C-alpha cells in the first residue's frame, strides 16, 4: 500500500539549536581520525569539573529509600523551602510561588506557554540562548529580538528595547550572567529594564542559571531583588553552579505583586500539574547543594578565571578578532572582522583544524557582523592549542577568500 510521507508541523521549521547542530559536522570530521578540540558545549562534566559529592550522595540515598515515584507537581517541600531561602539570600523577598522543573529549560518553556498567545511577542536578547527561539517557534509566538551592545560590554541596549515594545509585548527575557557573551549586568541597566517593565506591564524572565560562576570578585545582582512590585520569574538550577546538567533539575521563582500575578500563576500551575512532576530523587540534592559546602565554586571560579584570561588575551592578540572580557559563566563571544560569513568560517575551521566552536549566527547578531562562541571550560593546554589554530587558520582563510570578501 502506498503510504503518504508524514509531514511535520510548520512550527518546527525554524527550530535550530546551533550548539548541537554543529556537532553533526564535528562528528563527521572526527570519524576521519582528526584530533578534535571541543570548545562548543557548556557541559562542565565533560571537562575537569565535578559536582559536590554530597549532592550525588543525597540523590543516591533518595533512590535507595525508594523516592522513585512521581514527586509533587511543584516539587518536594524541602527543596522548595531551600529555594525560597536561596531567593532571600539573593534579596528576592516578595516570592509568591516556587516550582521545581526538568532543568531551567522546562520552567522557561512552561512560563512562556502560560503567558503568550499566538501573535503576541516577547523581547528576546540578541545574541541569546537558542532555547528561547525554539520555544518561540513552538508557541507561534513572535520573537521580538533586542540587541545587546558589544561596544558597551554587551549590556542590553535600552533604546533598542524601548523602540521594540508594542501593544502585543508580554515579557522581556534577560540572561544574566549571559550566554553567549559572559557579560554581567549593571544595577543601572537593570533599573532601566525594571522601569520599562512597570510602564508597559511586562513580565521579566530573569535567567540566572550562571549566577555563582563569577570572576574578579564581581557580585551578581538579581533583578527581582531591586523592586518588589515588578512581575518577575527568576530561573535557576543545579546544571551549571552545581555541575549536574544531566540531573535535569531547575526551578522558577515568581515574585512581584500577588494580585497582579495570581491568574498567571494558576495558569503555570495547571501546566505543572498536567506534566506530573520533575525528576524525583534528584530533588533531594537541592537543599544540600544550596546550603551545604560551597567550596567547589571557589575551585571552579579560580580555574575559569585563568581560562577566561587566557581566552581574552590570546583571542585579542589575533589580527582580525576582538573579544569583550566575560565577567561570568564560561562563554566568550568574539567578533571576527573582515569575513563574510561566520557559519562558513566555522565549518571550514572544523574541517581543517578540528577546533569546534559555534558560529555567532546561531545566537543572533547585528546584521553584517560575524562572531563565534567559545566555551572556555577545557584546560589551558587545549585552549592554547585551539586559539593558536584559530589564529593561523584565520590568516589563511582571509588570504584564500580575499577576492570574495568585502573587507570592513
Ligand atoms: C542561559 C541558559 N539558560 C538555561 C539553560 C538550560 O538550563 P537547564 O540545564 O537547567 O535546563 C542553559 C544551558 O546551557 C543556558 O545557557
Amino acid at each position: 500500500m502506498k503510504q503518504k510521507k508524514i509531514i511535520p508541523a510548520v512550527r518546527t521549521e525554524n527550530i535550530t539549536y546551533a550548539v548541537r547542530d554543529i556537532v553533526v559536522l564535528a562528528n563527521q570530521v572526527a570519524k576521519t581520525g582528526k584530533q578534535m578540540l571541543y570548545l562548543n558545549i557548556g557541559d562542565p562534566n565533560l571537562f575537569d569539573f565535578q559536582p559536590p559529592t554530597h549532592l550525588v550522595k543525597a540523590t543516591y540515598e533518595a533512590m535507595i529509600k525508594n523516592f522513585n515515584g512521581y514527586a509533587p507537581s511543584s516539587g518536594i517541600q524541602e527543596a522548595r523551602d531551600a529555594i525560597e531561602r536561596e531567593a532571600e539570600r539573593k534579596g528576592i523577598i516578595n516570592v509568591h510561588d516556587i516550582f521545581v522543573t526538568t532543568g531551567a529549560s522546562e520552567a522557561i518553556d512552561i512560563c512562556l506557554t502560560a503567558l503568550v498567545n499566538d501573535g503576541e511577542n516577547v523581547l528576546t536578547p540578541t545574541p541569546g540562548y537558542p532555547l528561547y527561539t525554539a520555544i518561540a517557534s513552538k508557541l507561534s509566538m513572535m520573537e521580538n529580538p533586542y540587541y545587546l551592545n558589544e561596544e558597551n560590554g554587551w549590556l542590553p541596549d535600552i533604546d533598542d528595547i524601548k523602540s521594540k515594545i508594542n501593544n502585543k509585548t508580554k515579557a522581556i527575557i534577560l540572561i544574566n550572567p549571559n550566554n553567549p557573551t559572559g557579560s554581567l549586568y549593571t544595577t543601572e541597566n537593570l533599573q532601566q529594564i525594571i522601569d520599562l517593565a512597570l510602564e508597559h506591564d511586562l513580565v521579566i524572565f530573569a535567567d540566572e542559571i550562571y549566577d555563582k560562576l563569577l570572576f574578579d570578585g564581581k557580585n551578581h545582582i538579581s533583578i527581582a531583588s531591586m523592586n518588589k512590585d515588578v512581575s518577575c520569574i527568576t530561573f535557576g538550577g543545579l546544571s551549571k553552579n552545581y555541575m549536574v546538567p544531566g540531573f535535569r533539575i531547575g526551578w522558577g521563582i515568581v515574585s512581584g505583586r500577588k494580585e497582579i500575578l495570581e491568574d498567571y500563576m494558576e495558569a503555570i500551575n495547571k501546566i505543572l500539574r498536567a506534566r506530573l512532576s520533575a525528576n524525583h530523587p534528584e530533588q533531594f540534592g537541592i537543599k544540600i547543594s544550596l546550603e551545604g559546602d560551597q567550596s567547589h565554586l571557589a575551585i571552579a571560579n579560580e580555574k575559569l578565571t585563568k581560562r577566561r584570561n587566557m581566552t581574552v588575551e590570546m583571542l585579542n592578540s589575533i589580527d582580525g578578532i576582538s573579544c569583550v572580557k566575560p565577567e561570568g559563566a564560561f562563554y566568550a563571544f568574539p567578533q571576527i572582522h573582515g569575513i563574510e560569513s561566520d557559519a562558513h568560517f566555522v565549518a571550514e575551521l572544523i574541517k581543517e583544524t578540528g577546533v569546534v566552536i559555534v558560529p555567532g549566527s546561531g545566537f543572533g547578531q547585528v546584521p553584517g557582523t560575524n562572531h563565534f562562541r567559545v566555551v572556555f571550560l577545557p584546560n589551558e593546554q587545549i585552549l592554547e592549542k585551539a586559539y593558536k589554530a584559530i589564529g593561523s587558520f584565520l590568516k589563511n582563510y582571509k588570504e584564500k577568500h580575499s577576492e570574495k570578501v568585502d573587507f570592513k
Side-chain angles (χ1 to χ4, degrees), residues 67-76 275-281 283-284:
F67 287 108
N68 298 314
Y70 293 119
S73 291
S74 291
I76 61 170
R275 71 41 153 146
L276 299 176
S277 76
N279 298 337
H280 194 181
Q283 295 190 34
F284 288 85

Side-chain angles (χ1 to χ4, degrees), residues 201-220:
D201 298 313
L202 307 181
V203 180
I204 298 176
F205 279 33
D207 182 337
E208 300 185 354
I209 191 95
Y210 299 97
D211 66 349
K212 296 184 182 180
L213 301 178
L214 305 170
F215 317 133
D216 312 321
K218 288 263 157 63
N219 279 327
H220 177 264

Side-chain angles (χ1 to χ4, degrees), residues 103-105 108 129 175 179 207 209-210 239-240 248-249 331:
S105 304
I108 294 162
Y129 180 56
I175 305 172
N179 177 9
D207 182 337
I209 191 95
Y210 299 97
S239 293
K240 312 291 174 169
R248 309 306 302 124
I249 289 289
Y331 307 103

Side-chain angles (χ1 to χ4, degrees), residues 91-112:
I92 310 171
I93 40 169
N94 48 338
V95 173
H96 303 298
D97 201 6
I98 285 173
F99 36 87
V100 180
T101 48
T102 306
S105 304
E106 193 198 20
I108 294 162
D109 193 335
I110 290 175
C111 293
L112 282 171

Side-chain angles (χ1 to χ4, degrees), residues 79-92 98 211-212 222 237 241-242 251 253 286 289-291 294:
R80 296 177 71 212
D81 291 345
I83 296 164
E84 182 155 10
R85 290 190 290 274
E86 174 79 354
E88 259 172 52
R89 285 190 292 278
K90 280 157 78 73
I92 310 171
I98 285 173
D211 66 349
K212 296 184 182 180
S222 281
N241 293 337
Y242 294 94
W251 51 79
I253 303 167
I286 295 176
S289 292
L290 296 177
E291 296 176 357
Q294 305 288 311

